[in-house]
Amino acid sequence: MFKKILIANRGEIAVRILRACRELGIKNVAVFSEVDRTAPHVRLADEAYSIGPAASRESYLRIDKLMDVARRTGCDALHPGYGFLAENPALPRACSDAGMTFIGPSAEAMEMMGAKTSGKQLARRSEVPTVPGTDEAIENPEEAQSLARSMGYPVLLKAIAGGGGKGMRVVPTDAEFAGAWRDAASEALNAFGDPRLFLEKYLIGPRHIEVQIFADAHGRVVSLGERECSIQRRHQKVVEEAPSPVVTPELRKKMGEAAVRLARAGGYTNAGTVEFLVDADLNFYFLEVNTRLQVEHPVTEQVTGLDLVKLQIAIAAGHRLPFAWEAITPRGNAMEVRLYAEDPDNNFFPSPGKILSRHAPTGPGIRLDEGVYEGYTVPLEYDPLLSKLIAWGNSREETIARLRRALDEYTITGIRTNVSLFRRILAEPEFLRGEFHTKWLDELLARPSPPATPPRPGTEDASVIAAALWHTTRANSAANVNRTTSAEPSRWKSQGRRQQLDRTP
Amino acid sequence: MFKKILIANRGEIAVRILRACRELGIKNVAVFSEVDRTAPHVRLADEAYSIGPAASRESYLRIDKLMDVARRTGCDALHPGYGFLAENPALPRACSDAGMTFIGPSAEAMEMMGAKTSGKQLARRSEVPTVPGTDEAIENPEEAQSLARSMGYPVLLKAIAGGGGKGMRVVPTDAEFAGAWRDAASEALNAFGDPRLFLEKYLIGPRHIEVQIFADAHGRVVSLGERECSIQRRHQKVVEEAPSPVVTPELRKKMGEAAVRLARAGGYTNAGTVEFLVDADLNFYFLEVNTRLQVEHPVTEQVTGLDLVKLQIAIAAGHRLPFAWEAITPRGNAMEVRLYAEDPDNNFFPSPGKILSRHAPTGPGIRLDEGVYEGYTVPLEYDPLLSKLIAWGNSREETIARLRRALDEYTITGIRTNVSLFRRILAEPEFLRGEFHTKWLDELLARPSPPATPPRPGTEDASVIAAALWHTTRANSAANVNRTTSAEPSRWKSQGRRQQLDRTP
Amino acid sequence: MKLEVHLEGVSGSKTRVVELQREGERFQITLDGQPVNADAIEIAPNTISVILDGQSFVIHATPSLDDKLKLQCGPHEFSAEIVDPRVWRGRKQGALEAEGRQQITAPMPGKVIRLLVAAGDSVEAGQGLVVVEAMKMQNEIKSPKNGKVERLLVKEGQNVNAGDVLAWVE
Amino acid sequence: MKLEVHLEGVSGSKTRVVELQREGERFQITLDGQPVNADAIEIAPNTISVILDGQSFVIHATPSLDDKLKLQCGPHEFSAEIVDPRVWRGRKQGALEAEGRQQITAPMPGKVIRLLVAAGDSVEAGQGLVVVEAMKMQNEIKSPKNGKVERLLVKEGQNVNAGDVLAWVE
């Protein structure tokens, strides 16, 4: 097993990884940029080294600096987390050059499976379904129409030279094909000087469902089941759950086998995620492979009982996937919400700043993967993910009830968070019935907000009383200050504000 | 289902119950004594009512006051938690008189099973093994000796009139029987004026293992498996785990069946715990029944996935135990430590007071059932249980590694806690091998403390630097204060202390 | 002590009169002249527990940069302005002025990366005015009303702090 | 600023000299005259992060009633007394005096429920002197040394605060 692991990341995922190291008795080394000196991963790590300015490309994206720290501290392995360099093949290559183990797939597997086009080609070769269609232009409209018929409507016409929606048409029925082809080709010609088109099956309201795979260096590849990730805001996942409310045991088996086939074909090792689109008829289509740990890995952990980060480390160290793990059956239901420092009332504008106070939920069925603490200043330079709140329950209903309860307990002052977004999602009947797709949340948010739930009777009175009490106690202490200091005017407001803003020197 | 539940308790268990209510959509009502106005259960409840002075017998033990609050607020059920009135049959009777449901067994079942003697009699009638021996005096020493031979040595002689160890003798072998009998009888005569003795099988290094049972009102009784509770300090459990490291599937089945038999014989309903002593040969002997929820119920929840408080509420509302629950198989291993406000370096002296700062562990496999928050003053009037820290892992080793990691992250200032006790227990080879009994911890603590683990190199230097930094920043701000106020001497110490002690007005 | 509290929240804006009279460790409280059965205590810094007719509320108070007190009570948020008759402070005139003219401020620190309008342009409510980048995300600051851009106070490339005025829309 | 820090902990008691020199937002630090590669910052009130030769430490500082600073660094605890040459304070004399004579204080608030000895009694180290009840638990306060009870300062039934002197043992 490794002696010391460099964690080439920050935030909650760096904390997640160093906790796994600690539980395994492996020393861990954190790195931090100038603005991350006070970050939780620095606080909790065994060792921590500065690697440069706030801008990622001058710190977290600098392979040379990471390798330098690793060499100086005697690390024998590196964990990339997600984001930053996690899917950059140059990092496993640099590790290999430095005689260290990269905790993840090989550079070759990363290149072959991670890139969209080569991933798709690999999928086709491994008989993993991809969205039906052609990658190349079809010259003859009749040929295209007969292909459309064989795929079934609706289909999507796309310009070969396209982009930005120009030369793109959804064709709902066969009768509309010829006209749509003409319009799209002419639009493409006007926009790009190239009228050529290709076509793809158009998926209506698809779901985003992904399969977690693990492959060891001894040829064993397993699927740990799926995650439902269709709740997305502008292509960004915000709620994830396992298992998916629509996946049947048969579909789970088929998707799992497809994912394993793909991983085998790509010579994949370590943790990976095969993303699929699933249509209303439960047909699934390969989307892409994420050659790393996912943000949403905890929901799989909660239902399988496995620690995926420890498993990644064990596999990287050459251990075999134990047989028993192949037979893992998920238990209950887990759901994760991504708590961001952003303002849902103001178009989800980032809201970094100092966390003045914080009360985090605990208790049965609640897990929090945190990247902040009370008094911490969330920097503006990075993704404003604060923490991931994960609930587990015997049923989807219990999980949602626990998540709601935990969100009600969660309070944070000083910065805005997107907690109210989750309150809204978790109250939507369609969400509760499991009826949604990848555009569902954007459609929901495009609709006018529902009338606000009226507060519990007394809420307003209690708030007025609280404000008065707050003022009264400060006004009195400000008066005391005035008595002992000079006659210089001192207002309670600046007093109160200082207490709030300056609690950390 | 109930509409509103009165929670007749305080601290972490009141919080635990109100969270279950919230998840079920049931309104909850808290009660509090004068010193508990700021307690977490008041903070989190829907409604909260004062029921009198700090002394329990004037507040939490006053059935009349509880019934008054329940009536005024329209509660249709009451949950007693553990401790206080939880095992007092007068409470279910009062509930029944008030037309409310008591969430627990009937007064009759409580009386029959909860009392030591009637419980033991019931056990004998239901063919549940009890510690072999006689309850009544044996007049004839020869008769006693032949009984001792049939039970097997060692045996324990006890004075009928006894107490405080007088007239008590452990007899290791048959050869020593006659002398021991003579000495014990004469000691008993001197101490109590009554030389009569009885005898019991003496268990060497027994374990305390208990079985969680659930019974609905429709005749169904199930066992949810065992908890190992042998780690006790002066008969007080401090670490509990499930499953027990020594219980085999066969023993689990036998103990579970015995517990279910007993519950059936006693006409028991709702949650109960049957406590057993288990000897080195894995013979088990009935000890007593706890007719309520246990402090350590979370370890069963973590391995079964069940929410025992919700189950209690459902059964009290007349629901049937679902069939599926009978087939529950425990998964992995869970362990709980009881964090107390007490000073392990000073004979576990209680250490109530104000929690100045607090950093609680989170992350995979960690559950915290809390009864405190930062800024809270732990009152001196009650049991100083702060929180229960519960870890779950795929194996006992992983669970212990997670618990250690969590204890390392846990910091609290302002009061002393027993965290170091758990660090010590979790490092003991015997504990790690699962080799312990009910006296093990007392024996461990009676031995001289092992030489303290030397701190990581640099710990002392870092602490000195931290002290200097702390002083420097305060000294400067104190100097500022001095400049603006009069020449009255102002020391940084009072300044710093005020910052610490007076953060809550 | 008698205070006027101007509260803004879900159900609009209101002015309430609160009187707190210390009695031992607690306060006797009246609301709009009526005594209420309320027990209020600050249980942690800026965290206030109020038990009102038996109902338990926890309110988190945060002083904000605009001299208002932000109150969070569960999912509900209010903004309170407190008038203390013991401290004379001229009432703000901003509220009236703002009716016709809107001040556009940066909601958070960041960098102006694009101006989408110029002074004098007519704009519609919801139309983007300025793009501010923060935490690697680009964010359009939109016009709150139909009108005309009166002034733009920032340039492309300029760093701004939370609360900085970016533009005026008339 | 140059400070003397008297540290008591696992490995006994030591006096260290620390010099902190502000340089921008950070400090240049020397320990016993040697410059050290350390970066120290208070990341939350009374929580100090120190990175010393790359090793990351978090120290929680709590001022205690005896004018010392309690330091918690993971499982390790230290007690520090800081001498600031800028502030003249007479050194305590307690340390020497205490060698022969022990002051017995209440470690926590509670109620004296029983006196186990009387003034003038000879006692052994570890022998119980007074029983104090707190949080429903009875706790024996023991003699730290062989000697004689010089004075008892409390009575049965009396409430005591943490730090109150209960007795003197000579």
Side-chain angles (χ1 to χ4, degrees):
Chain A
M1 188 42 77
F2 305 115
K3 292 205 165 44
K4 204 187 256 192
I5 293 178
L6 182 78
I7 301 166
N9 217 303
R10 65 177 300 283
E12 67 85 20
I13 193 62
V15 171
R16 170 72 189 86
I17 297 163
L18 73 83
R19 280 173 166 160
C21 291
R22 189 148 291 167
E23 290 171 16
L24 290 170
I26 300 171
K27 292 281 167 205
N28 55 79
V29 178
V31 290
F32 60 96
S33 76
E34 270 169 16
V35 294
D36 270 345
R37 172 64 184 86
T38 61
H41 73 288
V42 176
R43 174 180 184 162
L44 285 169
D46 289 326
E47 300 179 43
Y49 297 87
S50 165
I51 50 164
S56 308
R57 68 192 58 204
E58 295 181 61
S59 48
Y60 296 110
L61 293 174
R62 284 282 296 268
I63 294 179
D64 56 339
K65 290 185 177 176
L66 296 171
M67 290 300 123
D68 181 52
V69 171
R71 238 178 261 115
R72 280 195 290 143
T73 55
C75 286
D76 48 2
L78 177 149
H79 197 302
Y82 56 69
F84 293 130
L85 293 162
E87 293 182 273
N88 187 334
L91 187 58
R93 291 213 168 90
C95 285
S96 157
D97 291 348
M100 283 166 65
T101 305
F102 175 78
I103 299 171
S106 66
E108 294 69 35
M110 213 182 249
E111 274 163 347
M112 195 198 302
M113 295 186 67
K116 280 208 184 187
T117 47
S118 59
K120 205 164 177 180
Q121 283 161 10
L122 189 69
R124 292 215 180 99
R125 284 205 307 276
S126 342
E127 291 172 23
V128 171
T130 55
V131 176
T134 63
D135 286 349
E136 297 184 12
I138 311 176
E139 301 293 339
N140 182 338
E142 284 74 32
E143 190 191 324
Q145 187 160 10
S146 83
L147 198 64
R149 279 179 200 141
S150 71
M151 290 192 303
Y153 287 92
V155 297
L156 183 66
L157 308 182
K158 282 178 170 176
I160 277 283
K166 296 277 181 199
M168 195 182 273
R169 282 288 183 289
V170 178
V171 190
T173 63
D174 193 55
E176 291 157 85
F177 189 89
W181 183 275
R182 207 168 40 237
D183 291 353
S186 120
E187 196 173 285
L189 180 65
N190 288 337
F192 315 113
D194 179 352
R196 288 177 307 151
L197 304 174
F198 69 101
L199 82 164
E200 246 181 21
K201 171 90 181 151
Y202 180 71
L203 301 180
I204 305 167
R207 287 170 174 264
H208 176 122
I209 299 177
E210 59 188 29
V211 172
Q212 175 71 55
I213 54 148
F214 258 90
D216 67 19
H218 309 277
R220 174 172 289 276
V221 189
V222 300
S223 153
L224 299 180
E226 84 283 0
R227 290 184 289 260
E228 165 76 63
C229 307
S230 303
I231 305 295
Q232 304 182 357
R233 199 179 70 79
R234 298 185 181 179
H235 308 292
Q236 177 87 1
K237 300 166 189 167
V238 295
V239 180
E240 299 100 346
E241 64 182 301
S244 162
V246 297
V247 171
T248 59
E250 297 71 41
L251 180 58
R252 181 168 302 125
K253 188 158 182 289
K254 280 205 298 189
M255 289 175 77
E257 284 168 356
V260 166
R261 221 157 45 229
L262 190 68
R264 271 192 213 288
Y268 197 80
T269 49
N270 218 291
T273 296
V274 184
E275 297 189 328
F276 294 102
L277 288 178
V278 177
D279 70 15
D281 300 323
L282 297 187
N283 298 304
F284 63 93
Y285 306 98
F286 171 80
L287 194 62
E288 64 178 80
V289 177
N290 288 322
T291 58
R292 50 158 170 88
L293 192 69
Q294 300 278 82
V295 179
E296 60 271 23
H297 75 276
V299 297
T300 300
E301 294 186 322
Q302 294 310 106
V303 296
T304 61
L306 298 171
D307 186 314
L308 301 195
V309 177
K310 286 185 195 160
L311 209 45
Q312 282 193 297
I313 294 171
I315 286 170
H319 293 206
R320 284 171 189 275
L321 275 169
F323 275 87
W325 288 339
E326 202 166 1
I328 283 291
T329 38
R331 183 159 92 177
N333 180 285
M335 197 176 282
E336 170 185 285
V337 299
R338 300 190 188 186
L339 299 171
Y340 277 95
E342 57 185 23
D343 185 352
D345 296 334
N346 187 14
N347 204 23
F348 297 92
F349 210 100
S351 168
K354 184 162 180 173
I355 296 174
L356 300 177
S357 72
R358 191 167 154 283
H359 193 80
T362 59
I366 296 302
R367 164 177 169 185
L368 197 62
D369 276 23
E370 282 176 292
V372 297
Y373 57 87
E374 186 169 306
Y376 176 60
T377 298
V378 181
L380 47 103
E381 285 79 2
Y382 309 108
D383 183 60
L385 179 61
L386 299 170
S387 304
K388 299 182 307 201
L389 176 62
I390 305 117
W392 181 92
N394 260 299
S395 60
R396 191 164 185 265
E397 290 65 38
E398 184 175 51
T399 302
I400 290 172
R402 283 182 166 165
L403 204 45
R404 276 194 196 141
R405 186 271 287 171
L407 287 169
D408 281 347
E409 289 180 19
Y410 186 84
T411 56
I412 194 160
T413 67
I415 58 170
R416 310 272 317 182
T417 72
N418 61 349
V419 165
S420 66
L421 171 68
F422 302 118
R423 286 211 184 87
R424 182 165 174 198
I425 293 172
L426 265 49
E428 282 294 324
E430 286 172 332
F431 179 80
L432 301 181
R433 289 195 303 267
E435 294 169 4
F436 46 73
H437 51 77
T438 54
K439 299 271 171 269
W440 179 83
L441 180 57
D442 288 331
E443 289 171 14
L444 179 75
L445 293 175
R447 294 204 292 266
S449 297
T453 329
R456 187 155 59 109
T459 301
E460 203 181 272
D461 289 354
S463 299
V464 167
I465 290 167
L469 179 78
W470 189 93
H471 173 91
T472 303
T473 48
R474 268 105 191 136
N476 291 341
S477 72
N480 290 340
V481 168
N482 280 341
R483 268 201 300 280
T484 55
T485 59
S486 68
E488 187 189 345
S490 157
R491 291 227 230 128
W492 61 263
K493 287 213 170 127
S494 57
Q495 172 80 0
R497 197 181 311 139
R498 200 176 325 116
Q499 282 180 7
Q500 277 274 9
L501 303 179
D502 295 346
R503 278 172 60 192
T504 300
Chain B
M1 190 39 80
F2 305 115
K3 293 207 164 44
K4 205 187 256 190
I5 292 177
L6 183 79
I7 301 165
N9 217 302
R10 66 177 300 284
E12 68 85 21
I13 194 60
V15 170
R16 170 72 188 87
I17 298 163
L18 73 83
R19 279 172 167 162
C21 290
R22 190 148 291 168
E23 291 171 14
L24 291 170
I26 300 172
K27 291 281 167 205
N28 55 80
V29 177
V31 291
F32 60 96
S33 76
E34 270 169 15
V35 295
D36 270 346
R37 171 64 183 86
T38 61
H41 73 288
V42 176
R43 175 180 184 160
L44 284 170
D46 290 326
E47 300 179 41
Y49 297 87
S50 165
I51 51 165
S56 309
R57 67 193 58 205
E58 295 181 61
S59 48
Y60 296 110
L61 293 173
R62 284 281 295 269
I63 294 179
D64 56 339
K65 289 185 178 177
L66 295 171
M67 290 299 124
D68 182 51
V69 171
R71 240 179 259 115
R72 278 195 290 143
T73 55
C75 287
D76 48 2
L78 178 149
H79 197 302
Y82 56 70
F84 293 129
L85 293 163
E87 294 183 272
N88 186 333
L91 187 58
R93 291 215 168 89
C95 285
S96 156
D97 289 349
M100 283 167 66
T101 305
F102 175 79
I103 299 170
S106 66
E108 294 71 34
M110 213 182 248
E111 274 164 348
M112 195 198 305
M113 296 185 67
K116 281 208 184 184
T117 47
S118 59
K120 205 165 180 182
Q121 283 160 10
L122 189 69
R124 292 216 181 100
R125 284 207 304 277
S126 344
E127 292 172 22
V128 172
T130 55
V131 177
T134 63
D135 287 349
E136 297 183 13
I138 311 177
E139 302 291 341
N140 181 340
E142 284 75 34
E143 190 192 325
Q145 188 160 9
S146 83
L147 198 62
R149 279 179 199 140
S150 71
M151 288 192 304
Y153 288 92
V155 297
L156 184 66
L157 308 181
K158 283 177 167 175
I160 277 283
K166 297 276 181 199
M168 196 182 276
R169 282 290 184 287
V170 177
V171 191
T173 63
D174 194 55
E176 292 157 85
F177 190 90
W181 183 275
R182 208 169 39 239
D183 292 353
S186 122
E187 195 174 288
L189 181 64
N190 288 336
F192 315 113
D194 178 352
R196 289 177 306 151
L197 304 174
F198 69 101
L199 81 164
E200 247 180 22
K201 171 89 180 150
Y202 181 72
L203 301 180
I204 306 167
R207 288 172 174 262
H208 175 123
I209 300 177
E210 60 188 30
V211 173
Q212 175 71 55
I213 53 148
F214 257 90
D216 67 18
H218 309 277
R220 174 174 289 275
V221 189
V222 299
S223 153
L224 300 180
E226 84 283 1
R227 289 183 290 260
E228 165 75 64
C229 306
S230 304
I231 304 296
Q232 305 181 357
R233 200 179 70 80
R234 299 184 180 177
H235 309 292
Q236 175 87 1
K237 299 166 189 168
V238 295
V239 180
E240 300 101 346
E241 62 181 302
S244 162
V246 297
V247 171
T248 60
E250 297 70 42
L251 180 58
R252 180 168 302 126
K253 189 159 180 292
K254 280 204 297 188
M255 289 175 76
E257 284 168 356
V260 166
R261 222 157 46 229
L262 190 69
R264 271 191 214 288
Y268 198 80
T269 49
N270 217 291
T273 295
V274 184
E275 297 189 328
F276 295 102
L277 289 179
V278 176
D279 70 16
D281 300 323
L282 298 186
N283 299 303
F284 63 94
Y285 306 98
F286 171 80
L287 195 61
E288 64 178 80
V289 178
N290 288 321
T291 59
R292 52 158 169 87
L293 192 69
Q294 299 279 82
V295 179
E296 59 272 23
H297 75 277
V299 297
T300 299
E301 294 186 323
Q302 294 310 108
V303 296
T304 61
L306 298 171
D307 185 316
L308 300 195
V309 178
K310 286 185 196 160
L311 208 46
Q312 283 193 297
I313 294 171
I315 286 169
H319 294 205
R320 284 171 189 277
L321 275 169
F323 274 88
W325 288 340
E326 203 166 2
I328 282 292
T329 37
R331 183 158 91 177
N333 181 285
M335 197 175 281
E336 170 185 285
V337 300
R338 300 189 187 186
L339 300 171
Y340 277 96
E342 58 186 23
D343 185 353
D345 296 333
N346 188 14
N347 204 23
F348 296 91
F349 210 98
S351 167
K354 183 162 179 173
I355 296 173
L356 299 178
S357 73
R358 190 167 155 282
H359 194 80
T362 59
I366 296 303
R367 166 177 167 184
L368 197 63
D369 276 21
E370 282 175 292
V372 298
Y373 57 88
E374 185 168 307
Y376 176 59
T377 298
V378 181
L380 46 103
E381 284 81 2
Y382 310 108
D383 183 61
L385 179 61
L386 299 171
S387 305
K388 300 183 308 200
L389 177 62
I390 305 118
W392 181 91
N394 259 300
S395 61
R396 192 165 184 266
E397 291 65 39
E398 183 174 52
T399 302
I400 290 172
R402 284 182 166 165
L403 205 45
R404 277 194 195 141
R405 187 270 288 170
L407 288 168
D408 281 347
E409 289 181 18
Y410 187 85
T411 57
I412 194 159
T413 67
I415 59 172
R416 310 273 315 180
T417 72
N418 61 348
V419 164
S420 67
L421 171 69
F422 302 118
R423 285 210 184 87
R424 181 164 175 199
I425 293 172
L426 265 48
E428 282 294 324
E430 286 172 331
F431 178 81
L432 301 181
R433 290 194 305 267
E435 292 168 5
F436 46 74
H437 51 76
T438 55
K439 299 271 171 268
W440 179 82
L441 180 58
D442 287 332
E443 289 170 16
L444 179 75
L445 294 175
R447 293 204 293 265
S449 296
T453 329
R456 187 154 60 109
T459 301
E460 204 180 272
D461 288 355
S463 300
V464 167
I465 290 167
L469 179 76
W470 189 92
H471 173 90
T472 303
T473 48
R474 267 102 190 139
N476 290 341
S477 71
N480 290 340
V481 169
N482 281 340
R483 267 202 300 281
T484 55
T485 58
S486 67
E488 186 189 346
S490 156
R491 290 228 228 126
W492 62 262
K493 286 215 171 127
S494 56
Q495 172 82 0
R497 198 183 308 140
R498 201 177 325 118
Q499 281 178 6
Q500 276 273 10
L501 302 178
D502 294 347
R503 277 172 60 192
T504 300
Chain C
M1 178 146 70
K2 202 176 203 167
L3 301 167
E4 249 178 58
V5 178
H6 302 283
L7 198 73
E8 274 173 61
V10 272
S11 48
S13 149
K14 282 172 198 170
T15 296
R16 311 288 301 268
V17 178
V18 196
E19 202 165 349
L20 296 180
Q21 249 182 338
R22 197 176 279 279
E23 202 162 90
E25 286 181 13
R26 299 292 154 83
F27 290 93
Q28 283 290 344
I29 301 170
T30 67
L31 208 52
D32 300 329
Q34 301 295 318
V36 288
N37 175 20
D39 178 15
I41 182 169
E42 190 161 353
I43 58 175
N46 301 305
T47 302
I48 295 144
S49 164
V50 177
I51 300 180
L52 177 66
D53 290 327
Q55 301 291 317
S56 176
F57 298 92
V58 174
I59 294 103
H60 299 270
T62 318
S64 69
L65 295 170
D66 55 3
D67 263 9
K68 286 182 181 165
L69 192 63
K70 187 178 149 191
L71 303 167
Q72 291 168 255
C73 183
H76 304 287
E77 292 188 3
F78 302 95
S79 167
E81 202 177 346
I82 301 162
V83 180
D84 184 342
R86 300 184 316 178
V87 182
W88 169 251
R89 291 169 31 236
R91 291 287 290 279
K92 288 262 183 69
Q93 310 195 339
L96 274 176
E97 218 175 317
E99 290 230 296
R101 193 189 189 213
Q102 293 292 327
Q103 173 182 298
I104 316 302
T105 56
M108 50 138 356
K111 185 181 194 171
V112 174
I113 58 158
R114 204 153 46 246
L115 301 180
L116 302 173
V117 292
D121 284 5
S122 290
V123 290
E124 282 172 31
Q127 184 179 337
L129 303 174
V130 173
V131 180
V132 175
E133 189 180 72
M135 295 205 279
K136 293 158 113 187
M137 284 177 60
Q138 300 189 1
N139 302 278
E140 262 189 36
I141 314 297
K142 299 192 166 74
S143 174
K145 56 170 293 198
N146 297 331
K148 187 183 265 195
V149 178
E150 188 188 325
R151 261 182 88 182
L152 270 171
L153 292 110
V154 289
K155 283 186 291 202
E156 289 187 2
Q158 182 178 333
N159 287 313
V160 290
N161 283 319
D164 280 1
V165 180
L166 305 173
W168 288 95
V169 175
E170 206 173 22
Chain D
M1 177 146 70
K2 204 175 200 167
L3 301 167
E4 249 178 57
V5 179
H6 302 284
L7 198 72
E8 275 174 60
V10 272
S11 48
S13 150
K14 282 172 200 171
T15 297
R16 311 288 300 270
V17 178
V18 196
E19 200 165 349
L20 295 181
Q21 250 183 336
R22 197 178 278 279
E23 201 161 272
E25 287 180 14
R26 300 291 154 81
F27 290 93
Q28 283 290 343
I29 302 170
T30 68
L31 208 52
D32 300 330
Q34 301 296 317
V36 288
N37 176 20
D39 177 16
I41 180 169
E42 190 161 354
I43 59 175
N46 301 304
T47 302
I48 295 143
S49 164
V50 177
I51 299 180
L52 177 65
D53 289 327
Q55 300 290 317
S56 176
F57 298 92
V58 174
I59 294 103
H60 298 271
T62 319
S64 69
L65 295 170
D66 56 2
D67 263 9
K68 285 182 181 163
L69 192 63
K70 186 176 150 194
L71 303 167
Q72 291 168 255
C73 183
H76 305 286
E77 291 187 5
F78 303 95
S79 167
E81 202 177 347
I82 301 162
V83 180
D84 185 343
R86 301 186 314 177
V87 182
W88 169 251
R89 290 167 33 234
R91 291 286 290 281
K92 288 262 181 69
Q93 311 195 342
L96 275 175
E97 217 174 315
E99 289 228 298
R101 191 193 192 212
Q102 292 292 330
Q103 171 183 298
I104 316 300
T105 56
M108 50 137 356
K111 187 180 194 171
V112 175
I113 59 159
R114 204 153 44 245
L115 301 180
L116 303 172
V117 292
D121 283 6
S122 289
V123 289
E124 283 172 30
Q127 184 178 338
L129 303 173
V130 173
V131 181
V132 176
E133 188 180 72
M135 296 206 277
K136 294 159 112 187
M137 285 178 61
Q138 299 188 3
N139 302 279
E140 263 189 35
I141 314 294
K142 299 192 164 74
S143 174
K145 57 170 292 198
N146 296 331
K148 187 183 264 195
V149 177
E150 188 190 327
R151 260 183 89 184
L152 269 171
L153 293 109
V154 288
K155 285 186 291 203
E156 289 188 1
Q158 182 179 333
N159 287 315
V160 290
N161 283 318
D164 280 2
V165 180
L166 306 174
W168 288 96
V169 175
E170 204 171 25

